Amino acid sequence: MRIEENKSLKNYNTFGIDCAARFFVSVSSKTELINALKSTISPNKFILGGGSNMLLTKDIDALVIHINIKGIRIVSEDDEHAYVSAMGGENWHDFVQYCITNDFGGLENLSLIPGNVGTAPIQNIGAYGVELKDVFESCKAISSVDLSEKEFSKSDSQFGYRNSIFKNELKGKYIITEILVKLSKTNHKKNIEYGVIQQYLAENNIVNPSLKEISETIIKIRQSKLPDPNIIGNSGSFFKNPIVTKDVFETFIKQNPKAPFYVISETEIKIPAGWLIEKSGFKGKRFGDAGVHEKQALVLVNYGNATGEEIINLAHRIKDVVKEQFGITIVPEVNII
Ligand code: EPU
């Protein structure tokens, strides 16, 4: 375990922002993690996973602990299900591919989501009609307060849309070291109702897609809309899709009859922030090296040397114009550091 000083985090955040860590250590086991948490080199500790859901706006005056704990294993299985565990430092997409190779169903729609396994539960990652919570069984985590280990069940984790207890009451208090998911071995429940999925399958004459074919479809769709962070810095969706009350929605839809929306419950309607941002005129716009992706307005991008400040200033402008134009407040999905 080697502690480095004043280390650039440019290669450790998918936005590619060049901020520095006062101290930095990469840990590859729980023991190393606990030792790092005990370190007195800095009173502050900052946990870094895949760096795919954060925007750095300043240097981090702390010991940055990069979670690099690896391992995937089948914990148990019966005729119908497999329980598979992955350690927090595994790359999310590699884990999804491992499950697909074994023909275990449930994660295929979550293919190609950037980031690591250990951070997936924090925001209950989701895409194309599936969220992590749909297959989540439990996770193990280490308390940053007293270094004890605790297991969280699905109900303990209090999952919601891009939300969990780890983003709220327990924010910063636990480091997720391992997750356990329950996947199907037979009678896979395939989530292929999304319009874009149906369209891709039809165009490619795929009638009863295998898990692998669904995964490949998702990969193609994501690659066609979302920028590859290895080429253009980004953190996926920058904002959450706002959920509004029925009253707000009725006024909104009268004024914008063509707007897409999803009914969540009798009282709540979700409106795509990407649509609001596009209609506010920001899609494809570039201000220096900070910009709004040309194919998906929900994604803010760093064309090279944007600072976190520049990205956040752009986010504020977008938020203000959307509010002015539609009376709807959009809030970031990414963690602003
Ligand atoms: N739309 C526009 N203009 C845009 C972008 C979207 O009009 O520039 C419209 C689309 O036409 C569509 C609707 O908005 O009617 C929804 O768009 P899309 O299906 O692309 O999904 P999204 O709501 O923009 C969410 C997730 C994505 C996830 C996709 C697919 C959030 C915040 N984002 O985006 O997640 O991949 O659905 O399920 O919920 C991420 O979290 O980083 C992420 C990429």
Side-chain angles (χ1 to χ4, degrees):
M1 204 173 79
R2 192 167 63 92
I3 297 183
E4 296 173 70
E5 263 187 78
N6 299 323
K7 187 177 171 77
S8 167
L9 297 175
K10 192 170 169 67
N11 295 329
Y12 289 88
N13 70 102
T14 59
F15 244 126
I17 304 289
D18 195 5
C19 285
R22 178 73 188 90
F23 300 102
F24 178 92
V25 67
S26 194
V27 296
S28 47
S29 67
K30 279 193 211 177
T31 313
E32 283 191 359
L33 168 60
I34 289 171
N35 286 338
L37 289 168
K38 281 185 189 160
S39 165
T40 51
I41 200 162
S42 168
N44 309 320
K45 309 290 184 302
F46 181 97
I47 304 300
L48 178 64
S52 64
N53 202 41
M54 63 183 215
L55 176 65
L56 292 170
T57 60
K58 54 180 183 303
D59 291 343
I60 303 180
D61 186 17
L63 171 61
V64 172
I65 304 173
H66 176 234
I67 308 297
N68 194 29
I69 310 174
K70 304 277 191 195
I72 299 177
R73 69 196 166 98
I74 300 166
V75 174
S76 64
E77 53 186 315
D78 55 31
D79 291 346
E80 286 167 17
H81 294 105
Y83 291 82
V84 188
S85 106
M87 302 305 283
E90 283 290 340
N91 171 272
W92 175 261
H93 182 65
D94 291 348
F95 176 46
V96 172
Q97 292 309 303
Y98 171 93
C99 297
I100 289 165
T101 306
N102 281 283
D103 206 36
F104 297 155
L107 293 179
E108 53 286 352
N109 289 39
L110 304 181
S111 296
L112 213 63
I113 294 185
N116 284 358
V117 163
T119 40
I122 300 177
Q123 54 153 344
N124 179 27
I125 58 169
Y128 305 102
V130 174
E131 290 181 333
L132 175 64
K133 75 168 169 51
D134 302 333
V135 294
F136 183 93
E137 274 292 300
S138 62
C139 67
K140 286 184 186 159
I142 291 188
S143 161
S144 56
V145 180
D146 63 11
L147 310 181
S148 62
E149 187 173 65
K150 186 175 153 111
E151 188 163 320
F152 291 87
S153 68
K154 190 193 307 209
S155 68
D156 293 338
S157 305
Q158 298 179 15
F159 292 121
Y161 166 59
R162 295 294 193 277
N163 213 351
S164 76
I165 194 163
F166 306 108
K167 240 184 149 174
N168 292 293
E169 284 141 82
L170 299 185
K171 189 171 179 177
K173 296 209 167 69
Y174 279 93
I175 299 121
I176 298 168
T177 52
E178 184 174 358
I179 74 166
L180 181 69
V181 295
K182 180 183 178 181
L183 303 174
S184 56
K185 286 174 65 178
T186 53
N187 299 322
H188 302 304
K189 182 179 172 295
K190 294 175 183 167
N191 289 283
I192 53 172
E193 298 75 30
Y194 257 60
V196 276
I197 300 181
Q198 289 288 340
Q199 194 188 333
Y200 182 90
L201 294 174
E203 279 166 14
N204 291 278
N205 298 316
I206 303 169
V207 179
N208 188 13
S210 63
L211 299 178
K212 188 157 186 283
E213 284 169 324
I214 298 174
S215 172
E216 284 165 356
T217 302
I218 301 292
I219 290 171
K220 285 279 177 340
I221 295 169
R222 289 188 75 98
Q223 285 174 337
S224 72
K225 278 194 176 184
L226 299 166
D228 178 349
N230 291 318
I231 299 167
I232 303 177
N234 75 89
S235 252
S237 303
F238 192 90
F239 297 97
K240 286 194 207 187
N241 287 328
I243 296 172
V244 301
T245 61
K246 218 170 173 186
D247 289 351
V248 172
F249 176 72
E250 267 157 19
T251 314
F252 168 79
I253 205 72
K254 241 178 240 152
Q255 288 161 358
N256 305 281
K258 287 190 182 147
F261 61 90
Y262 318 101
V263 177
I264 305 280
S265 69
E266 283 200 357
T267 52
E268 292 176 314
I269 294 102
K270 195 191 268 182
I271 301 172
W275 187 90
L276 299 171
I277 298 168
E278 179 172 346
K279 295 297 166 205
S280 301
F282 283 100
K283 193 170 186 170
K285 286 277 157 65
R286 181 172 173 168
F287 306 86
D289 268 357
V292 179
H293 189 50
E294 55 190 5
K295 293 183 192 145
Q296 165 55 288
L298 197 48
V299 179
L300 302 191
V301 293
N302 172 10
Y303 282 105
N305 294 311
T307 61
E309 277 298 278
E310 287 171 299
I311 303 274
I312 201 75
N313 287 343
L314 172 57
H316 284 143
R317 274 173 74 177
I318 293 172
K319 185 182 173 179
D320 290 348
V321 176
V322 166
K323 177 79 183 170
E324 204 177 283
Q325 207 147 317
F326 298 102
I328 292 174
T329 303
I330 53 173
V331 295
E333 186 206 272
V334 302
N335 296 310
I336 317 287
I337 310 296

